[in-house]
Amino acid sequence: MKMIPSFLSFAALASAACHYGTTLAPRDSIVGRAKGKFGYDGLQGPINWHGLSPGNALCARGESQSPVNIVPSDYDTVSGSSYNLEIPSYPDGAEIENIGTGVQVYVNGSATIDNTTYALRQYHFHTPSEHRIENEYYPVEVHFVMQTDDESLAVIGFMIEVAADCDTPSEVMTASLRNIGEIPSTGNITTTEPLDFSDLQSHLAESEVFTYGGSLTTPPCDEGVAWNVVADPIFVDVSTFRAVKAVLKFNSRHTQNVPGHVNVIESASKAFDNLL
Ligand SMILES: *[C@@H]1O[C@H](CO)[C@@H](O)[C@H](O)[C@H]1NC(C)=O
Ligand SMILES: *[C@@H]1O[C@H](CO)[C@@H](O)[C@H](O)[C@H]1NC(C)=O
Ligand SMILES: *[C@@H]1O[C@H](CO)[C@@H](O)[C@H](O)[C@H]1NC(C)=O
Ligand SMILES: [Zn+2]
């Protein structure tokens, strides 16, 4: 029983290595942009991402940074049915990689946002959630990262709540995360359980989505990201949540200023100058 999975994960690792960072198949052009090794604690953490490289200046000076606390009355909403989110099924599972600051699943797909078609590159997880809705955070947030041919970025984010008795866990999120315990360390890669995205697609189609212009939530904090945060949460069961938390530990950037207001770090640094 052991032989087959370990052979498969070796094959997945080898094929990933072949495609990594080539121009034809950029492995992950999004996280690949990060300047400097960043983390979530101390001087490698979000309060000092700007200190890791001059290329990360927007992390401290940008005025449209993400994540934010979404106050529903202040944000535009669109109907989830307008996105036409298409993601093929992966009956043999898809690759999931521990990239050190999170875990990413590599799948293809597309969505239409504001009449623009985006190609899905990957989805990844944060715990706790980065966005908040009416001040409240969720245990996990999943980001579906999408790009146009000219590299404009959009993200569709779903809040993930821990299921109580009457809640139905998302089958595709459960299948995505089932093997996360096999990839505890940076660079580890394994294969998810079979993936069929229909429950996620139906959930999106039936939900309202908050939209705003924000940024990457990781260095270099590039702005111009079209954010789409699905209003209604999806669910995973307690054991899935614990498995996620055991691997991700903590990978959530703090809440940023209201879009258009002065960056919280820039404001705080000015206040610091006034200390006696
Ligand atoms: C995505 O689509 C491309 C082009 O068809 C294909 O080469 C690649 O293997 C696909 N990747 C995944 C993860 O399905
Ligand atoms: C999208 O395209 C349709 C048809 O061309 C147009 O009527 C509509 O106003 C466009 N919507 C946006 C948000 O640009
Ligand atoms: C995960 O990465 C660690 C550290 O590089 C390595 O020792 C271990 O063998 C890897 N495990 C798997 C399942 O790839
Ligand atoms: Zn993210």
Side-chain angles (χ1 to χ4, degrees), residues 15 31 37 53 70 100 102 118 131 135 140 162 171 176 178 197 204 221 224 244 251 256 263:
S15 91
V31 169
K37 184 179 178 321
S53 162
I70 295 171
Y118 290 80
H131 286 89
N135 293 308
V140 182
V162 176
E171 285 179 25
S176 298
R178 176 96 64 199
F197 290 86
L204 175 61
C221 308
V244 168
N251 66 342
Q256 301 296 300
N263 189 291

Side-chain angles (χ1 to χ4, degrees), residues 2-16:
K2 281 268 167 197
M3 288 297 282
I4 292 159
S6 58
F7 170 75
L8 282 179
S9 59
F10 177 77
L13 196 71
S15 91

Side-chain angles (χ1 to χ4, degrees), residues 168-204:
T168 307
S170 161
E171 285 179 25
V172 75
M173 290 296 106
T174 306
S176 298
L177 295 164
R178 176 96 64 199
N179 301 331
I180 193 171
E182 296 172 12
I183 53 167
S185 306
T186 306
N188 287 169
I189 295 177
T190 190
T191 305
T192 67
E193 297 287 293
L195 302 178
D196 171 345
F197 290 86
S198 24
D199 68 89
L200 197 76
Q201 287 161 313
S202 321
H203 179 87
L204 175 61

